[in-house]
């Protein structure tokens, strides 16, 4: 995913970023970056998510990244959830993997995934 760094935080390695889908924050896992830099990153979602609690059907049908208090909300298409709980959320042309538990959810629809932890790994193209 292509992002631009909009600022840093008092927390170690935390950055604020913007993308074509909106703005969020996460932990930068690479060489130091500064506000204004443009990067291609892979998003990693470390927590274990609960379906119908942290992942819920979205009211809209657009890809989005937004802040809601301390949480970052990712809105995208729920592509798949494998038997082992590995899930795939489509954000435009990118797919974000995550781990989840809970009752089954319909695939192919828009969902909101709420998290307080996102890791950003720079990708060298």
């Amino acid at each position: 995913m292509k992002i631009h760094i909009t600022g840093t935080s008092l927390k170690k390695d935390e950055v604020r970023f913007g993308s074509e889908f909106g703005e969020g924050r996460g932990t930068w896992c690479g060489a130091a970056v500064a506000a204004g830099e443009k990067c291609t990153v892979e998003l990693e979602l470390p927590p274990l998510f609960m379906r119908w609690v942290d992942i819920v059907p979205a009211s809209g049908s657009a890809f989005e990244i937004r802040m809601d208090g301390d949480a970052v909300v990712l809105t995208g298409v729920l592509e798949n959830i494998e038997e082992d709980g590995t899930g795939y959320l489509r954000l435009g042309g990118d797919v974000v993997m995550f781990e989840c538990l809970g009752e089954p959810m319909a695939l192919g629809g828009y969902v909101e995934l709420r998290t307080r932890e996102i890791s950003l790994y720079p990708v060298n193209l």
Side-chain angles (χ1 to χ4, degrees):
M1 171 180 292
K2 293 182 189 224
I3 66 166
H4 60 277
I5 305 299
T6 57
T8 56
S9 169
L10 295 177
K11 289 184 181 177
K12 183 175 177 6
D13 298 325
E14 186 174 85
V15 297
R16 292 185 306 279
F17 66 91
S19 75
E20 66 180 300
F21 307 118
E23 296 185 357
R25 66 167 172 69
T27 302
W28 184 258
C29 301
V33 290
E37 289 189 51
K38 294 184 179 187
C39 314
T40 301
V41 297
E42 182 176 314
L43 301 181
E44 180 182 287
L45 305 176
L48 179 62
F49 297 95
M50 292 300 298
R51 289 176 242 166
W52 301 102
V53 175
D54 305 309
I55 307 166
V56 296
S59 56
S61 57
F63 301 115
E64 183 180 32
I65 299 174
R66 66 182 167 84
M67 295 296 299
D68 184 12
D70 287 341
V72 179
V73 180
L74 306 174
T75 303
V77 174
L78 186 59
E79 292 273 313
N80 193 18
I81 297 177
E82 296 177 359
E83 286 184 26
D84 67 359
T86 302
Y88 302 89
L89 180 73
R90 176 160 301 285
L91 279 170
D94 296 293
V95 175
V96 179
M97 290 176 45
F98 59 92
E99 298 295 325
C100 63
L101 296 172
E103 296 297 316
M105 297 186 84
L107 302 177
Y110 280 83
V111 295
E112 287 186 354
L113 190 149
R114 181 175 298 273
T115 184
R116 291 177 187 237
E117 293 180 57
I118 295 179
S119 297
L120 303 167
Y121 289 90
V123 177
N124 297 326
L125 299 176

